[in-house]
Amino acid sequence: MPRVASLSQPFRGILEFDIAYGTLDPKEGSHKKPSSSVQSEVHKNKTQLRGSSTVLDVKKSLHQQKKVLYPERQEVRMEQKGKSLKDSDTLQQLGIKTKDDRLYVKDLGPQIGWTTVFFAEYAGPLVIYLWVYQRPWLFYGDRAGDVLPTSLCTHIAAGCWTFHYAKRLLETQFVHRFSHSTMPLFNLFKNCSYYWGFTAYVAYHINHPLFTPPSTTQLYVSLAAFLLCEFGNLSIHLALRNLRPPGSKERKIPYPDGNPMTKLFNAVSCPNYTYEFGSWLAFTTMTQCLPAGLFALAGFYQMAVWALGKHRAYKKDFKNYPPRKAILPFLL
Amino acid sequence: MPPKTQDVANLSNGNIYLVFYNVFLSLGWLIVLIQTLHHLVYEAGSLDGLWESTSSVLKIFQSLAILEVIHAAVGLVPSSVAMVIPQVTSRLVILWPVLCAVNNTHSSIGLPMLLVAWSVTEVIRYAYYFLSILKHVPSILTFLRYTLFIVLYPLGVTGELLCLYAALPTVAKTRMYSISMPNALNATFDLHSTLIVFALLYLPVFPMLYMHMFAQRKKVLGKSKKVD
């Protein structure tokens, strides 16, 4: 019968996992085991997989054998270093029939739900910024609040920051559709360090008693640009959501819809990232604050990496992909 | 066993440059090592003048390591920029704002520790690299590269942290290389806090890198055992 070989920790070497390949449906496959021994295996392993069983069924069976390996923690492959198989693929489609056929299982490590991650990642910056906005003594020492009054720019910056992360939390809840339900736990620690750390760094400078705001013109022009880019980013998120109706697995090229902000699709593959960078650039000029600029740059670097990957994937999947750049119109 | 003429003749221009680079750095660090040992032996372990004996050559050859970021960035070597930058940065942070800027680090016991750890490691590492390009690394060198780190890495880290700690009071008092608000870019830089954060980073990073070296050791030395 087919065996499932496992790689990486916590399993050392190959985990032999006998899948009882049942004979219940005489139309299935070419296995030659007589029903009596198969029945006894079924009894021993409490599993029963057939040609019509899916990869998800395999994951669930393995989970029953190894409690720690819940299905989201598994990645099943045909080759040891091969691509991940889809949960919906059936054993028959994959050609798993005889006892010499193998599947490989990789342990992805402890997983955590996407929504949990996003909530932690975005609620943190919201809370931390608003806390530093109060000029706590921990950052500024006593009496920092009454040394110099908070400038209008600082108030507006707090408003923008709050707006941005509140928008992200709402989008996570109501707009985005995720293709995976979980991510590795380590990512939570890494992502939160990035978001929370940068928030404290940027907030410390903008809310500092000795913060020097730029001219009123610079402030208001930048604020307008910020709001425009936030709206643009939301428009793209909505367009992407409508691109793939729930349940469908169809991949489509995104095009502009009725919203004029989506026209940016004609120039770049990932206009959501373009607008996001635009927001942070505007926030930087609005506050004329180097730490905010560093935050914008760091974000841009990461989003550019993602955009280039996404752009490459689009070009590979669609022969007729329109001439666009990845993230910066005409440039990148 | 010298490399075959054909192997050498077939080297790309990039690799010829790397051979010269690695030989040059290996020799430079050998000088630092000899200067360090010479001082420690002839001054019977006294630290007076150790920095003066070694700093000129040390500054040159440690600073040259910046080139390795470029080598990785242009793909001349297989290392990723993300791995090289933290390593080179950490050395330069210890060298310039700690050792060069603050005099009382020169009488710290950390100084000879890091000098020995750094110079022995680098002599071996650069020699290993240039011989790898020529495809003739003696097994004793491979053994040393993947074994000495077990002692040298903790030795070096301890030396670095001791010197950093010795520098902190002076940095705090003089506020050297630091910028305060108000200024046009609404930015600050506090060397004292930065050094403390830098030291705290050793806590998660050192075990990770140390364990990574052990894994590498198992892979490289384990493999050569099988071949024999």
Side-chain angles (χ1 to χ4, degrees), chain B residues 119-165:
Chain B
S119 54
V120 173
T121 305
E122 301 300 51
V123 168
I124 295 176
R125 180 167 78 95
Y126 288 113
Y128 181 86
Y129 287 158
F130 95 79
L131 288 169
S132 297
I133 296 171
L134 298 176
K135 296 197 173 58
H136 283 83
V137 186
S139 55
I140 178 70
L141 189 64
T142 310
F143 176 77
L144 288 176
R145 168 164 158 81
Y146 287 100
T147 307
L148 289 182
F149 81 87
I150 299 176
V151 167
L152 293 179
Y153 198 14
L155 180 71
V157 164
T158 310
E160 291 167 28
L161 289 174
L162 284 172
C163 289
L164 190 152
Y165 185 72

Side-chain angles (χ1 to χ4, degrees), chain A residues 52-104:
Chain A
S52 58
S53 299
T54 62
V55 165
L56 183 59
D57 293 329
V58 172
K59 290 183 181 177
K60 286 180 181 166
S61 303
L62 195 52
H63 178 38
Q64 283 177 333
Q65 303 280 307
K66 287 257 164 202
K67 280 283 168 285
V68 71
L69 265 194
Y70 41 89
E72 291 82 6
R73 195 169 157 160
Q74 299 176 40
E75 184 180 281
V76 179
R77 310 167 170 177
M78 287 294 290
E79 320 273 322
Q80 195 172 31
K81 286 192 195 291
K83 241 178 42 158
S84 164
L85 296 174
K86 294 201 272 281
D87 280 354
S88 51
D89 289 341
T90 65
L91 293 183
Q92 187 171 44
Q93 280 174 341
L94 296 169
I96 305 285
K97 291 199 278 270
T98 71
K99 70 172 177 164
D100 291 323
D101 294 327
R102 278 171 161 206
L103 287 173
Y104 290 87

Side-chain angles (χ1 to χ4, degrees), chain B:
Chain B
M1 239 194 323
K4 301 195 182 67
T5 316
Q6 200 54 43
D7 280 348
V8 178
N10 286 343
L11 285 179
S12 64
N13 289 333
N15 277 334
I16 294 175
Y17 157 75
L18 282 177
V19 167
F20 280 108
Y21 174 81
N22 288 314
V23 168
F24 185 53
L25 265 86
S26 188
L27 290 175
W29 280 102
L30 186 60
I31 297 174
V32 176
L33 178 59
I34 292 171
Q35 286 173 333
T36 305
L37 294 176
H38 182 271
H39 179 99
L40 291 174
V41 165
Y42 283 95
E43 304 295 323
S46 153
L47 296 174
D48 277 339
L50 174 59
W51 174 251
E52 286 70 19
S53 309
T54 54
S55 63
S56 318
V57 185
L58 176 68
K59 283 191 260 192
I60 296 172
F61 287 93
Q62 182 60 79
S63 301
L64 277 174
I66 290 184
L67 288 175
E68 284 162 53
V69 178
I70 302 179
H71 296 166
V74 303
L76 204 54
V77 295
S79 322
S80 74
V81 176
M83 285 298 292
V84 177
I85 284 186
Q87 291 168 14
V88 173
T89 309
S90 77
R91 288 286 184 87
L92 294 178
V93 167
I94 297 294
L95 177 63
W96 291 103
V98 174
L99 291 174
C100 289
V102 182
N103 285 338
N104 62 3
T105 59
H106 307 161
S107 41
S108 165
I109 187 72
L111 180 61
M113 289 170 81
L114 70 82
L115 283 172
V116 169
W118 288 8
S119 54
V120 173
T121 305
E122 301 300 51
V123 168
I124 295 176
R125 180 167 78 95
Y126 288 113
Y128 181 86
Y129 287 158
F130 95 79
L131 288 169
S132 297
I133 296 171
L134 298 176
K135 296 197 173 58
H136 283 83
V137 186
S139 55
I140 178 70
L141 189 64
T142 310
F143 176 77
L144 288 176
R145 168 164 158 81
Y146 287 100
T147 307
L148 289 182
F149 81 87
I150 299 176
V151 167
L152 293 179
Y153 198 14
L155 180 71
V157 164
T158 310
E160 291 167 28
L161 289 174
L162 284 172
C163 289
L164 190 152
Y165 185 72
L168 287 178
T170 311
V171 173
K173 201 162 51 128
T174 63
R175 289 194 51 76
M176 57 171 65
Y177 303 125
S178 301
I179 309 170
S180 332
M181 302 241 276
N183 59 66
L185 285 179
N186 287 307
T188 55
F189 181 71
D190 182 29
L191 184 61
H192 187 252
S193 327
T194 306
L195 286 177
I196 292 180
V197 169
F198 176 76
L200 287 173
L201 284 174
Y202 275 66
L203 258 80
V205 174
F206 167 69
M208 253 169 52
L209 292 178
Y210 200 46
M211 288 302 127
H212 173 72
M213 284 303 289
F214 272 105
Q216 289 290 93
R217 176 170 204 268
K218 201 162 140 196
K219 201 170 76 161
V220 173
L221 294 183
K223 203 197 305 178
S224 57
K225 276 213 191 81
K226 279 213 196 88
V227 170
D228 290 343

Side-chain angles (χ1 to χ4, degrees), chain A residues 71-72 87 111-117 178-183:
Chain A
E72 291 82 6
D87 280 354
Q111 299 286 300
I112 184 156
W114 272 95
T115 31
T116 314
V117 170
F178 299 110
S179 35
H180 299 280
S181 53
T182 65
M183 69 151 79

